Amino acid sequence: MAKKVIARRPTISDVARAAGVAPSTVSHALNNKGYVDADTKARIIRHVKNLGYRPNARARSLRTGGVRTVSLISTMPLGVSGGMSKLGFLMELAAVTAEEAVKRGFALVLVPPQPEGGGLPALDIDGAIMVEPAEDDPQLAALVADNYPVVCLGRWHGHDAVPYVDLRSRDTAEVLLGHLRERGAKRIAVMMGASVRTSYVETEAAYRTMCERDGQEPILIKLDERGGDMAGRVAAADLMQRHPDVDGILALVDAFASGVVQAAQDYGWDIPGRLKVATRYDGLRAKLAPVPLTAIDLHLDEVAAMGVELLSQIFDHPGQSLSLRPQPPGLVARESTALVGKSRISAARGLQ
């Protein structure tokens, strides 16, 4: 795979060259320090806008000293990260990350998912921990181009040089797919997001390997993450009509899995008797679903601690390409993949 090049962001030296002044003059003009005549300042501001220059907050904080500030940033769309998930994946990571950051004398800034089209807020930070970035993530690209120390929780697909904690996504997929098989599912479909994230890429690879081994055509459904629960519900309804032989669904995103359960209720498909369902993250959506969902313990406490450890190493030794790997994923089997017994959905329908 060809190495991807991230465009360099303009620097204060670029602005100085364009305006025909010294970098210190640009700094004085932007920070209202010293004396810069009105015409020169106007020229500098014009070139700042034309070049798209943004002052490097990290450089300012390193010059002034003080406590290092790191941000935990999620770029997953609000359709996935909203609702019960606000109290789930990101917040679980944030709690441990904050604890580990304090141990090292860092201050943590939590950056929630931004609305579509929203860029990274202007933050005075020294480094960042990005949660499962997409291949074309503009916020992460901007941080890397600005030479911020960055660690990814989940490898940044196509950018292996950026330090990361391996979430073991292929291992996770193999555990879940194997569990569905062991619990009797013979025709398994996989539902995931349409963006290019390492967790999706590695899950698809594991699923295709399984299908090839079993001599089956893959049933792979890729959805816009912004659709959240409803996207999963609509896709599952369509799946039930087009592939009535499907008896197992791995919905990688918990919001999609919630939609699958809703569609099964709509169509009267008993879970787990008629359909077995599993998801990845063992969060509130999995635990509180009408039929509690089989999921994975991703060991997020260990993942978060590793993320802070990597960032600390990069602060001390800039430019290193590092990675860490947590313990193997742990299966949390629940009613949605049980071998026998009717689900609560069926019981509820029988009482109506």
Side-chain angles (χ1 to χ4, degrees):
M1 180 185 294
K3 185 177 180 179
K4 299 189 179 181
V5 178
I6 299 173
R8 183 180 69 85
R9 295 179 68 83
T11 66
I12 194 169
S13 295
D14 296 326
V15 175
R17 279 192 296 270
V21 299
S24 59
T25 303
V26 176
S27 179
H28 291 162
L30 296 180
N31 294 294
N32 294 315
K33 294 182 178 179
Y35 173 76
V36 181
D37 67 79
D39 290 341
T40 301
K41 184 173 183 178
R43 186 168 74 253
I44 289 171
I45 296 299
R46 183 171 66 253
H47 286 294
V48 165
K49 293 180 179 178
N50 290 340
L51 292 172
Y53 170 71
R54 181 162 57 89
N56 191 320
R58 173 174 168 260
R60 290 200 306 270
S61 63
L62 291 179
R63 285 196 302 270
T64 58
V67 174
R68 276 178 167 152
T69 301
V70 300
S71 61
L72 180 67
I73 305 172
S74 172
T75 58
M76 190 68 75
L78 290 170
V80 168
S81 60
M84 283 187 289
S85 288
K86 284 185 177 179
L87 302 175
F89 192 75
L90 181 59
M91 294 309 297
E92 187 173 341
L93 282 171
V96 181
T97 303
E99 182 178 352
E100 292 297 321
V102 167
K103 290 178 183 177
R104 297 178 181 274
F106 303 157
L108 180 70
V109 176
L110 177 61
V111 181
Q114 301 299 299
E116 184 182 2
L120 187 65
L123 299 172
D124 188 1
I125 59 174
D126 300 300
I129 298 175
M130 302 290 295
V131 180
E132 289 204 278
E135 181 181 41
D136 59 351
D137 194 308
Q139 297 182 12
L140 179 51
L143 288 169
V144 172
D146 268 346
N147 296 314
Y148 280 85
V150 176
V151 168
C152 297
L153 302 185
R155 180 169 58 90
W156 189 17
H157 185 70
H159 303 274
D160 289 356
V162 177
Y164 65 93
V165 178
D166 186 353
L167 292 183
R168 307 187 67 146
S169 297
R170 178 144 191 163
D171 293 344
T172 293
E174 290 175 349
V175 167
L176 289 169
L177 291 169
H179 175 73
L180 287 168
R181 273 277 187 263
E182 291 170 2
R183 291 304 175 94
K186 294 181 172 55
R187 193 69 175 104
I188 300 172
V190 169
M191 186 180 294
M192 65 177 65
S195 60
V196 181
R197 303 181 191 272
T198 294
S199 57
Y200 299 159
V201 173
E202 293 188 356
T203 296
E204 180 174 349
Y207 176 57
R208 289 188 180 279
T209 297
M210 184 196 76
C211 289
E212 183 177 356
R213 183 183 65 239
D214 295 344
Q216 294 182 345
E217 283 295 316
I219 303 176
L220 186 62
I221 304 166
K222 296 185 179 183
L223 305 176
D224 188 331
E225 295 163 333
R226 295 170 297 181
D229 297 52
M230 184 53 67
R233 186 174 188 172
V234 171
D238 180 67
L239 175 68
M240 292 171 186
Q241 291 183 340
R242 292 188 298 106
H243 297 280
D245 59 329
V246 164
D247 56 1
I249 297 177
L250 169 54
L252 208 61
V253 177
D254 59 353
F256 296 161
S258 294
V260 170
V261 173
Q262 293 167 6
Q265 187 170 16
D266 295 339
Y267 279 76
W269 281 31
D270 171 64
I271 298 176
R274 175 66 179 81
L275 178 70
K276 299 188 188 302
V277 182
T279 190
R280 184 181 70 148
Y281 171 55
D282 185 30
L284 288 179
R285 275 190 166 113
K287 296 171 182 175
L288 301 180
V291 181
L293 298 172
T294 290
I296 288 288
D297 179 358
L298 295 172
H299 308 297
L300 294 185
D301 53 348
E302 184 180 5
V303 168
M306 286 182 169
V308 176
E309 167 63 24
L310 275 183
L311 194 58
S312 178
Q313 291 183 35
I314 297 167
F315 281 145
D316 295 335
H317 305 284
Q320 291 197 73
S321 179
L322 305 167
S323 65
L324 291 174
R325 204 172 197 222
Q327 62 184 296
L331 180 71
V332 182
R334 294 198 177 93
E335 185 181 345
S336 68
T337 58
L339 283 172
V340 295
K342 290 194 172 184
S343 73
R344 281 186 256 174
I345 280 184
S346 291
R349 291 178 64 86
L351 292 175
Q352 291 177 355

